[in-house]
Amino acid sequence: MTNQVTALPNGVNVEALLGAREALTEMPEAAKFVWRAVNEWKSGTHAESRIEGFFGLGEEQRHVREFRFDSDHPQIFAAEDNGPTPVEYVLVGLAGCLTAGIASVAANRGIELRSVTATLEADMDLYGILGIDSDVRNGFNGITVNYTIDADASEEDIAAVVAQSQKRSAVFDVITNPTNVTVRVNQ
Amino acid sequence: MSFLSHIPRRTAGAIDVVVIGAGHAGLAISQLLGSRGVEHVVLERGEVANSWRKERWDSLKLLTPNWQTRLPGCAYDGDDPDGYMSVGELVQFLDDYAANTNAPIVTGCEVTSVRRVAERYRVITSQGTWNARAVVLATGACNRPSIPTAASGLPAELTQLTPFDYRSPENVPEGGVLIVGASATGLQFADELLKAGHDVTLAAGEHVRMPRRYRGKDIFYWMTRCGIHDQSYTEIEDIGRGRRLPSPQLVGSTDLPILDLNYLRDRGARIAGRFMRAWNGEIQFSGSLGNVCALADLKMQRLLKLIDETADRDGAPAAETFAPTCVDDEPLLSMNIEDVKSVIWATGFKPDYRWLDVDVFDRKGQLRHDGGVVDGEGLYVLGLPLMRRRKSSFIFGIEDDARDIADHLVGYLTNTLRRAS
Ligand SMILES: Cc1cc2nc3c(=O)[nH]c(=O)nc-3n(C[C@H](O)[C@H](O)[C@H](O)COP(=O)(O)OP(=O)(O)OC[C@H]3O[C@@H](n4cnc5c(N)ncnc54)[C@H](O)[C@@H]3O)c2cc1C
């Protein structure tokens, strides 16, 4: 099993991905997915999120196990720092998505990756969330992602892989483009 | 060419082939059918070259150089091979071609329905009903402007134009103008509106950047020379993407080495990302501008590198270099709707087949066809982007496609006759 996995380019099963693309082209309903998270308040700004089930390929699906994530705020915010801040999870989501894309696109183009690391930085002015200046937005002013990639490919080919990964990234899209958010309170 | 089989049949009735549309595609296939002795008629709702007469803006010049403008049995032979025709000159060229080829055209004849009835096509028009054994759709790929659904969020008072309404900067109210789309159309509008003194914002999604001339020749020369224009639809990896590709950022003029976002930005245009929505009194743009520019730069470099291989062998002059697209550190993400007096949708075009009552459409409403042979017996199409070749939608590209389709069509007519007897 392990051998089989290492034999795949960048550990990506390109054939399975391309096969899925072809199969889903004929089955638009199966391509409709729903992602879910459950969140529960602990204390203060500490909350715990759990992720296990999602919907796709026409039926309920499960991850191999349940994943749990604590979110909180650092002590300088007078909090207990039981976990990363929610905005840091946004960076985790973006980096996870772009890097997965880079591995897949590179594999599809026959580029073998030796190492891929990214450092992310997001600027934020607290005047927004603290309500001090209404001209300052709550969220990030911008996000910078810096990749260092070691692969047997030219600089341009690597740049093209990174660009293509952004083009096909779900989280990049969620962050760069407006998304409707509906928040309801159940009675 | 046999004389008798060529007598045009211009009154409604039974006929072998109906060609719908007298643009360059309809005229080209008519010439080839005529030379093969196939009985046919060309039905045109307006006049020859109707789209060029009715649906183009004043300053438009062809993107393709004159020497490249050719149709079956006819090539440009004027005295400005490196120039670019105006719309009026092209209309004249097509009018002359229709006359010289004796095309059996019925003008002012709008097709309102095509239906399969008893192994024939019943073609209902404003001038009667034809019953054809085969039909060629040469109605064009650009019958209607294609406008994103998010446009519906804009206030009704705002002036909104499409390339079908826009004629010149005089149509555009004073004040801020937002041009959506960064293809040839959007960039040409932006250029002339800036020159006319308008305050221009351009929303750019994915686009195709290329210089007008490179290493001493027109870029179209190199693309043909390197075999790009002749690439077959069967060789292209992602055909769906290839067919959706916007037109390259070009203008029919050699005044500028390259018409691109850098040039417009230097002249004072604000460049923003893709138009996303109108919301809360604001117009919002995508934050992906940096990436779409990076993609366009990479693709241009790849194209130029490919050209270099041939150009080096040809001993062409040294390669020019083009600066990467310059993107603001914090590109515009939103603007007040109040700062915009008009919006121009330069977001592409789509065909109109509302009159085609035959089950040949996919779930997105596009024709199901294999290289122009439509998934319906005896039905053919011409002139769609990358239909059989990279050059399919260009005037110079129609000849090879129309020849393939004419040959297939003749085979079809012969086979169905044989089956019937
Ligand atoms: C803005 C613009 C610029 C372009 N510039 C170039 C260029 O520089 N070089 C180049 O090679 N190509 C260019 N093209 C691409 C292409 O050459 C044109 O789109 C061209 O008009 C396509 O020719 P066609 O014969 O396929 O369709 P059209 O020229 O659109 O002809 C279709 C004909 O069908 C008729 N018709 C439609 N529906 C019906 C109906 N129901 N009944 C009867 N008749 C009907 C129309 O009236 C029209 O006359 C450009 C396209 C556009 C939109």
Side-chain angles (χ1 to χ4, degrees), chain A residues 72-102:
Chain A
D72 201 347
H73 285 80
Q75 289 175 345
I76 55 164
F77 285 70
E80 287 178 356
D81 215 354
N82 288 298
T85 59
V87 289
E88 288 162 326
Y89 277 108
V90 173
L91 300 182
V92 172
L94 178 61
C97 196
L98 291 178
T99 301
I102 287 169

Side-chain angles (χ1 to χ4, degrees), chain B residues 20-26 43-52 55-57 60-64 109-112 138-143 185 349 352 355 382-383 393-396:
Chain B
I20 311 176
H24 75 256
L43 307 180
E44 167 56 54
R45 64 179 168 192
E47 293 170 74
V48 167
N50 210 51
S51 306
W52 294 98
E55 296 164 357
R56 307 283 189 262
W57 56 98
L60 177 65
K61 296 214 163 193
L62 287 200
L63 302 185
T64 40
C109 178
E110 172 150 21
V111 173
T112 53
T139 45
C142 304
N143 306 114
T185 312
F349 306 91
D352 184 358
W355 41 268
L382 279 174
S393 54
F394 291 107
I395 297 166
F396 71 86

Side-chain angles (χ1 to χ4, degrees), chain A residues 41-59:
Chain A
W41 175 62
K42 294 292 180 189
S43 166
T45 55
H46 179 203
E48 186 194 60
S49 295
R50 299 193 304 275
I51 287 174
E52 190 176 17
F54 59 95
F55 180 88
L57 305 182
E59 58 188 2

Side-chain angles (χ1 to χ4, degrees), chain B residues 202-258:
Chain B
L202 181 85
E206 273 196 69
H207 53 270
V208 181
R209 185 182 181 213
M210 59 177 73
R212 177 72 268 181
R213 290 177 71 82
Y214 185 62
R215 303 192 67 174
K217 299 273 190 199
D218 195 276
I219 195 78
F220 274 73
Y221 167 88
W222 288 122
M223 289 174 77
T224 300
R225 175 93 178 88
C226 299
I228 297 173
H229 284 139
D230 283 317
Q231 251 174 359
S232 158
Y233 73 113
T234 55
E235 294 165 31
I236 284 156
E237 209 176 301
D238 191 344
I239 187 78
R241 195 195 127 66
R243 286 178 172 160
R244 283 192 308 271
L245 218 58
S247 60
Q249 295 175 333
L250 289 173
V251 58
S253 148
T254 49
D255 293 350
L256 287 177
I258 184 166

Side-chain angles (χ1 to χ4, degrees), chain A residues 6-182:
Chain A
T6 46
L8 294 169
N10 303 332
V12 175
N13 192 336
V14 177
E15 247 163 69
L17 284 180
L18 293 179
R21 184 180 195 258
E22 200 164 306
L24 289 178
T25 308
E26 305 302 317
M27 296 185 293
E29 280 316 305
K32 305 225 166 11
F33 273 61
V34 181
W35 301 105
R36 301 196 188 102
V38 178
N39 178 273
E40 193 178 338
W41 175 62
K42 294 292 180 189
S43 166
T45 55
H46 179 203
E48 186 194 60
S49 295
R50 299 193 304 275
I51 287 174
E52 190 176 17
F54 59 95
F55 180 88
L57 305 182
E59 58 188 2
E60 283 301 323
Q61 307 280 352
R62 306 206 78 74
H63 281 285
V64 288
R65 62 183 173 85
E66 185 190 68
F67 300 105
R68 291 169 175 251
F69 304 92
D70 288 296
S71 58
D72 201 347
H73 285 80
Q75 289 175 345
I76 55 164
F77 285 70
E80 287 178 356
D81 215 354
N82 288 298
T85 59
V87 289
E88 288 162 326
Y89 277 108
V90 173
L91 300 182
V92 172
L94 178 61
C97 196
L98 291 178
T99 301
I102 287 169
S104 310
V105 175
N108 189 31
R109 296 184 181 179
I111 297 174
E112 200 183 313
L113 299 169
R114 284 184 287 267
S115 76
V116 179
T117 49
T119 50
L120 290 89
E121 259 180 31
D123 306 326
M124 184 195 268
D125 183 344
L126 289 195
Y127 274 31
I129 54 174
L130 294 177
I132 296 172
D133 183 343
S134 60
D135 291 336
V136 174
R137 70 182 286 183
N138 297 336
F140 300 145
N141 289 322
I143 303 175
T144 313
V145 186
N146 274 305
Y147 269 104
T148 307
I149 297 178
D150 180 17
D152 55 0
S154 70
E155 222 173 277
E156 295 90 68
D157 285 347
I158 292 175
V161 168
V162 176
Q164 182 66 16
S165 162
Q166 291 168 73
K167 182 177 154 177
R168 285 276 160 261
S169 162
V171 180
F172 183 87
D173 175 52
V174 167
I175 293 174
T176 53
N177 298 324
T179 306
N180 285 317
V181 180
T182 312

